[in-house]
Amino acid sequence: MSVHYARVWGGKALGGSVAISGSKNTCLPIIAATLLTEETCILRNVPQLTDIFCMIEVVRRLGVAVERLDAHTWSFEAKAVAAYADRTFVERFRASVCLLGALLGRNRRASMPVPGGCKLGSRPIDIHLRAFRALGAEATQTSDGIDLHAERLTGATFSVAGPRGSTVTGTLNAILAAVLAEGRSVLVGAAREPEVVSFCAFLQKMGAKIEGAGTDRLAIEGVSALRGADFTIPSDRMEAGTFLILGLLCCDALRIINAPREVLCGIPEILPQIADYCRWEGEDLVVRRGEFPPIEVSAAPYPHFPTDLQPQMTVLASQIAGTSHVRDTIFPDRFTHIDAFRRLGMDIKKTADDTIAVAGKTALCGAEIAATDLRAGAAMYLAGLIARGETTIFQKEYVERGYENFEEKLLALGAAIEYTPLQMQQETSNAGNTPIIFRTDSAHNIFQKTSE
Ligand code: EPZ
């Protein structure tokens, strides 16, 4: 178990303002897309996250000239791009899978190890490979990795739907390969997530011809070259959703600055009373704690409730009188966190392969627990903040993959937290293509910023 931890003292009412960072799952594939042009791309509002740093390091190792213009602004210039992505960073995060489509589109060949990422159960890439094959590529997958090769890529009509609905990164990969293919492609069963829409907006700025973003049918007219683009990453709906649930749990008034409108996706269906506890003030969402009847949550592809907020919603369910049900139709095995939740006192039973029943309202009590993945880790902070006494969350580096300055943001809301600092920090550099160095901070270097 890692020595990186956060200690949370719960039971306080929180409140104040929190600004949402750039969207991780929008930014990661967009960095991959910068491989599709020789011209410079500027990305703004890039969140400082370990997954993002890993993706930047992977593209730098592929030959891209990467420059950090300020804390959240980066430039990428891919004059020449290698076809092979080495294992060091690729295996650390899931979105590296998008390099397959980008490298195939750019070089007509790609080779890399199987991507890593949070363990949410089975995460096959058969639909990605099916899409590449439909466009004319030969695709092989072995235990060592994936190889793609195409004499030419030719537009085609194909499906990116799978047994559990559309695939987000599968859709992104198909788009990456199709925008520089010859002729017209039609993607049926495409993912409709806002992250896909923003990704298409970036490619359109680069000169790609894409119609239907946000629907399940995308039409792409291949072009012979793409140009550079300057793009601002929109704010992260999963981070905003996590703070929204925090607000409903324990905040007198929490202002979520620059909340994306999609943050409410699926939530009013689960919590019709949410309107009584949250209101829009311009671009900000102001939330306060509430009392709710039992909820029925079923995570499914957009526009339904997101799987990436399922563990956080389980924490809220534990604070509702009566029995709530939480189901995940996308990742039925995404319940590895319930053992940790039970240690805090939650009353949770598995009622079906993809469903848990949560009985409430339970008084939570601090315990030592370990994050099992990124979103579950964030949910453990929420649980710790409403538990009596001290909760220690180990393996907090999962959370640093997707939440920028999470502890600092919670501290600013009045939370009492002590934590080891960011496990992997980037040595910033403005010197062109200087390697990005990760350093691991000493476990003894504790940031202690507890409040009364
Ligand atoms: C993306 O993962 C997100 N990751 C995940 O975010 C998110 O949980 C997930 O979409 C669902 O919304 C990124 O965007 C980097 P999928 P992805 O392919 O694309 C099955 C987070 O916490 N499937 O949409 O890997 C798959 O098993 C995370 O930020 C196939 O069967 O998920 C699942 O049941 C983690 N074959 C379903 O489709 C395939 O080839 C949807 O998965 C691909 C997927």
Side-chain angles (χ1 to χ4, degrees):
M1 191 181 290
S2 106
V3 290
H4 294 279
Y5 65 88
R7 207 165 268 149
V8 177
W9 288 268
K12 293 177 63 184
L14 307 183
S17 300
V18 63
I20 301 305
S21 300
S23 160
K24 168 181 84 84
N25 289 343
T26 304
C27 190
L28 287 165
I30 283 181
I31 295 173
T34 66
L35 299 180
L36 293 177
T37 178
E38 289 183 22
E39 295 184 16
T40 303
C41 294
I42 310 275
L43 301 183
R44 302 175 193 278
N45 200 31
V46 174
Q48 304 191 72
L49 302 170
T50 46
D51 274 17
I52 296 284
F53 293 157
C54 284
M55 181 61 113
I56 290 173
E57 181 57 13
V58 173
V59 300
R60 195 195 62 76
R61 287 172 180 231
L62 284 166
V64 178
V66 181
E67 196 172 342
R68 190 174 201 170
L69 306 179
D70 65 38
H72 294 100
T73 309
W74 294 77
S75 81
F76 301 84
E77 189 187 57
K79 285 278 180 240
V81 180
Y84 175 74
D86 76 62
R87 130 175 359 260
T88 321
F89 285 90
V90 164
E91 289 179 337
R92 293 191 188 176
F93 66 114
R94 174 69 180 182
S96 57
V97 75
C98 292
L99 294 162
L100 285 172
L103 290 171
L104 183 65
R106 174 70 186 259
N107 290 334
R108 301 295 189 251
R109 54 185 316 130
S111 179
M112 64 177 229
V114 178
C118 284
K119 292 180 178 53
L120 310 177
S122 163
R123 297 184 82 178
I125 58 163
D126 55 311
I127 302 168
H128 303 233
L129 301 185
R130 192 172 76 199
F132 297 141
R133 289 188 185 113
L135 292 166
E138 281 176 29
T140 50
Q141 181 176 5
T142 65
S143 52
D144 276 346
I146 304 132
D147 278 296
L148 306 176
H149 169 76
E151 289 303 321
R152 51 195 293 209
L153 292 172
T154 313
T157 296
F158 55 91
S159 167
V160 283
R164 304 193 177 281
S166 51
T167 149
V168 177
T169 49
T171 300
L172 301 172
N173 252 335
I175 297 170
L176 283 162
V179 285
L180 288 174
E182 294 165 36
R184 183 178 172 82
S185 297
V186 178
L187 280 61
V188 182
R192 294 182 283 167
E193 270 68 4
E195 292 76 15
V196 177
V197 177
S198 300
F199 174 79
C200 289
F202 174 68
L203 282 169
Q204 283 161 337
K205 263 196 142 178
M206 294 175 82
K209 295 194 175 147
I210 306 172
E211 283 171 16
T215 74
D216 62 1
R217 192 179 170 89
L218 290 173
I220 299 172
E221 200 65 53
V223 295
S224 57
L226 293 171
R227 55 179 181 266
D230 188 322
F231 191 79
T232 301
I233 305 296
S235 48
D236 194 306
R237 70 188 171 107
M238 298 313 168
E239 187 196 3
T242 302
F243 279 103
L244 167 58
I245 294 169
L246 176 76
L248 297 175
L249 276 169
C250 62
C251 290
D252 289 335
L254 172 62
R255 177 176 294 272
I256 304 172
I257 299 170
N258 257 336
R261 293 277 154 177
E262 299 88 353
V263 63
L264 286 184
C265 159
I267 294 180
E269 287 72 40
I270 297 165
L271 293 172
Q273 298 80 345
I274 197 168
D276 298 338
Y277 300 99
C278 67
R279 64 177 191 279
W280 287 98
E281 288 186 4
E283 299 306 307
D284 301 346
L285 185 60
V286 182
V287 191
R288 65 186 168 89
R289 61 181 143 192
E291 295 282 333
F292 302 102
I295 53 178
E296 298 292 319
V297 180
S298 186
Y302 194 85
H304 301 291
F305 185 78
T307 172
D308 291 346
L309 292 179
Q310 176 258 103
Q312 300 90 315
M313 211 54 168
T314 300
V315 178
L316 185 63
S318 77
Q319 299 308 299
I320 294 175
T323 300
S324 296
H325 294 94
V326 180
R327 179 174 182 222
D328 198 323
T329 69
I330 300 179
F331 296 118
D333 296 324
R334 195 177 193 170
F335 288 106
T336 51
H337 47 274
I338 62 176
D339 285 342
F341 283 4
R342 284 180 181 136
R343 291 187 70 171
L344 296 172
M346 289 187 211
D347 181 351
I348 299 180
K349 288 190 184 63
K350 199 108 200 258
T351 53
D353 283 349
D354 61 358
T355 308
I356 55 172
V358 186
K361 168 179 184 171
T362 43
L364 305 186
C365 191
E368 289 196 352
I369 51 179
T372 46
D373 70 65
L374 155 59
R375 308 298 169 187
M380 288 175 197
Y381 281 69
L382 303 193
L385 288 167
I386 54 165
R388 192 160 37 83
E390 183 180 305
T391 298
T392 306
I393 301 153
F394 290 99
Q395 296 186 170
K396 79 178 197 83
E397 56 270 29
Y398 276 115
V399 177
E400 284 152 3
R401 300 178 57 165
Y403 291 85
E404 186 175 40
N405 299 333
F406 196 46
E407 289 100 350
E408 285 89 336
K409 289 182 181 183
L410 293 172
L411 282 164
L413 300 177
I417 302 181
E418 179 185 275
Y419 61 101
T420 52
L422 191 64
Q423 188 214 3
M424 292 164 72
Q425 264 189 358
Q426 193 192 34
E427 299 291 342
T428 59
S429 160
N430 272 331
N433 215 20
T434 307
I436 291 157
I437 303 157
F438 291 107
R439 69 181 163 83
T440 304
D441 286 287
S442 152
H444 304 294
N445 182 8
I446 309 287
F447 280 23
Q448 190 160 9
K449 294 190 193 167
T450 57
S451 57
E452 287 309 301

